[in-house]
Amino acid sequence: MRIALISPFPDITVFGLRTMSAYLRERGHWTRMIFLPDPACDEDYGEERYRPETLRQLVALCRDVDLVGITLMTNYFAAARQITHAIHAATSVPVVWGGVHATICPDECIVHADIVCVGDGEEALLDLADALGRGAAIDALANLWVRAGDGAISRNPPRPLLRDLDRYPAPDYSLADHHFMVADGTITPFTRELTERHLRTGTVSNLLGKMGYQTMTGRGCPHKCSYCANDALKNLYDKRGYLRWRSVEHVIDELEQVKHRFPDIGFVWISDDAFFSRPSASLAAFCTAYKERIGLPFSCLASPLTVTEEKMALLVDAGLVYVQMGIESGSARMQALYNRARMDNRRVLRAARIINRYRARMFPPSYDFLLDVPYERTEDTLESLRLIARLPKPYRLQPFSLVLYPGTELHRMGVRDGHVRDAHRDVYAKSYNMRAGSYPNLLFALAQGGRMPGPLLRLLASRPLGRVLAAAPLRPGFAWLYRALRALKARLRPVGGRAA
Ligand code: B12
Ligand code: SF4
């Protein structure tokens, strides 16, 4: 079978879609990958994202295939819908949607797609391609929701999660029948030069000033934060089998292939949800093999509970140069609401101090915080700022405006309490970059680079002063100041860089 796989994401990594492409090819099908980096990017989620000429070219690429697959996160719902409508209007090729949003909101997706994949897609897509190839029925395949011609929908539960991730080949970077939408909306063959140019502009690539290759050594997360997609995904699957790891050999093989294919790769970006939660023995084996056979600097994500002195020492010795850790809030009340009570300030400071011991050999770590949370009071945000004042320097802050993603506990609460009045505006079209203008958010912006002296930040975020300055009469003034500061930062940001 011939299957077109489409990504609307700005980033070209798309690990899941590329893995499925490689797997289908290995199993005798042909895939055509089409990357449509969303022109609106993260800033403006319009309804009509692609130009008519782009859609015409896209449809032409989908005419001679047997199946079209589209991957989507919640923010890309409008893009997937626009692409699907264009394909449906001009061809009779069935369209299957998959990815985190399809998994969490299949009922909404099946209105537009012919088939929706709930959960991991490799086996489901292979079964679907095989069945279509044989002319067999597709309405009872595990993981798939299928809409029949008369509108009836078969809703098949997901199969148990596959534990052996080594079954899947490395993501497809072959460039064979790969296509890419360039800035003017034209779809061209995806070349090595275009790939490398894109790999140079990812967030971490910008930060480290090197061309980065992004991969995942496992799937899942040991935690279940109430605002995170993992909260929704763990409810779908058996929680115990959710966190899975590829073997060290499997990951190192992939990285060796990548080094061979792209010799200019300057670092590896491991984007596992919580790489530090890999068991100690496996992490030690990874570090030994990585140091010997890959030898490139690398970055990863951490959670305050999983950073230990032992793991940090191993990783830095193997080449770890940059860590991003979610702190999210310094207020015990908010930590409890986020289901992160165990990641309290004591644990956060302990993890930050461990990371800080390696400051001479690493780039400053990034610490993520959630802002604009409807349940957060000014005092909670000021507590976060006071925690920041205690963090050892150097560091960078990555403040994210909370998006209430569907399927999460906080989304349920938000809907119940009237914080999601217009789903498109408040969730689907909201970017984590759209932070509200306020006194505490201004302090976050000023402290973002990690250069504000701790005592000054402590003073500005202290209870009496903070309360006065965050009070209603002063809000418009601080909102204006905040917007002015962000506009200035945007002007100073290097071309190709993104706001964190
Ligand atoms: C790496 C990553 C990124 C990278 C790269 C994204 C990319 N384009 O490749 C970066 C840092 C750029 C990124 C950015 C964003 N991300 Co992100 N990201 C992830 C992360 C950690 C891993 C994604 C991944 O590769 N997973 C592994 C693969 C195997 O799983 P998968 O993608 O789900 O694919 C499987 C199935 O879903 C299914 N499937 C997927 N597509 C399809 C298609 C078809 C046809 C079929 C049949 C099946 C299918 O099969 C796949 C294989 O089993 C996830 C968290 C996670 N653990 O998944 C968050 C996640 C996807 N990101 C998220 C978000 C919100 C974003 C942002 C929008 C905002 C933000 N806060 O960061 C931005 C903007 C996007 C952008 N600029 O590209 C959310 C999405 C929530 C939601 N409801 O949509 C997640 C789930 C994080 C979270 N825990 O909440 N992200
Ligand atoms: S630690 Fe991060 S990835 Fe894991 S559940 Fe919490 S927010 Fe999600």
Side-chain angles (χ1 to χ4, degrees), residues 37 39 50-55 57 180-188:
Y50 298 106
R51 295 176 196 166
E53 179 52 23
T54 306
L55 293 174
Q57 279 188 288
F180 178 80
M181 187 185 78
V182 290
D184 71 0
T186 310
I187 301 179
T188 65

Side-chain angles (χ1 to χ4, degrees), residues 220-231 234 242 272-274 301-304 326 328 338-340 343:
C221 179
H223 311 301
K224 196 172 181 294
C225 305
S226 60
Y227 52 83
C228 171
N230 278 312
D231 185 36
K234 279 190 172 178
Y242 182 62
D272 298 15
D273 290 335
L301 303 167
S303 75
E328 317 306 353
Y338 296 156
N339 199 18
R340 294 170 65 100
M343 297 180 232

Side-chain angles (χ1 to χ4, degrees), residues 5-7 9-17 19-20 41-42 45 68-76 96-101 103-104 116-117 119-122 124-125 128 144 168 203 214 216 218-220 227-230 233 242 269 271-273 301 400 403 405-406 432 498:
L5 295 173
I6 302 175
S7 161
F9 303 151
D11 188 276
I12 59 152
T13 301
V14 209
F15 185 86
L17 206 65
T19 303
M20 283 189 292
C41 204
D42 297 335
Y45 294 105
V68 171
I70 304 175
T71 187
L72 68 151
M73 302 184 206
T74 301
N75 292 135
Y76 298 89
V96 51
W97 286 13
V100 65
H101 189 71
T103 297
I104 291 167
V116 172
C117 174
D120 278 7
E122 288 88 349
L125 198 53
L128 179 62
L144 298 183
Y168 301 132
T203 322
Q214 195 180 152
M216 298 190 72
R219 295 185 188 181
Y227 52 83
C228 171
N230 278 312
L233 298 175
Y242 182 62
W269 175 3
S271 57
D272 298 15
D273 290 335
L301 303 167
F400 292 105
V403 181
Y405 284 114
Y432 59 87
R498 284 193 209 152

Side-chain angles (χ1 to χ4, degrees), residues 364-381:
S366 285
Y367 298 132
D368 296 354
F369 281 83
L370 283 173
L371 298 181
D372 308 337
V373 182
Y375 300 96
E376 191 167 58
R377 302 177 193 136
T378 300
E379 180 49 30
D380 296 311
T381 323

